[in-house]
Amino acid sequence: MNQQIGLFTHLECLVERILSGEKLENYSDTNQVVRNYGEDYKFISKCAHKLERTFNIIINDNEIAILIKTVKML
């Protein structure tokens, strides 16, 4: 339950950060995460499209890689 709350909190902060124009530092492991977790990347990217449409934002690969790592820690 706490992990789910943490994930939803992360998503809320992600959307808020993008809407406010705040930049995320470049996540150095993005390419490796995408290569190692290709199916997860596709799934989370698809889910992210719903957030992108709802909030009129773009969730970049850095953010998706961090989401994958977060989900993997659950």
Side-chain angles (χ1 to χ4, degrees):
M1 181 69 168
N2 286 340
Q3 290 116 344
Q4 290 173 336
I5 291 170
L7 178 60
F8 288 120
T9 301
H10 178 81
L11 288 170
E12 183 273 329
C13 291
L14 177 151
V15 170
E16 184 176 324
R17 185 174 57 248
I18 294 171
L19 286 172
S20 70
E22 186 179 330
K23 299 291 181 189
L24 177 69
E25 289 184 34
N26 195 14
Y27 182 57
S28 62
D29 292 339
T30 296
N31 291 332
Q32 182 180 357
V33 170
V34 171
R35 273 193 313 274
N36 292 342
Y37 302 105
E39 290 301 314
D40 295 316
Y41 174 80
K42 289 176 190 175
F43 177 76
I44 291 179
S45 292
K46 184 177 178 180
C47 294
H49 289 309
K50 294 176 184 178
L51 285 174
E52 290 174 325
R53 284 193 304 271
T54 300
F55 293 101
N56 195 30
I57 59 175
I58 295 173
I59 300 174
N60 65 32
D61 284 350
N62 285 334
E63 296 282 6
I64 292 172
I66 292 169
L67 284 171
I68 291 169
K69 294 299 273 190
T70 302
V71 168
K72 292 297 182 184
M73 287 191 278
L74 294 178

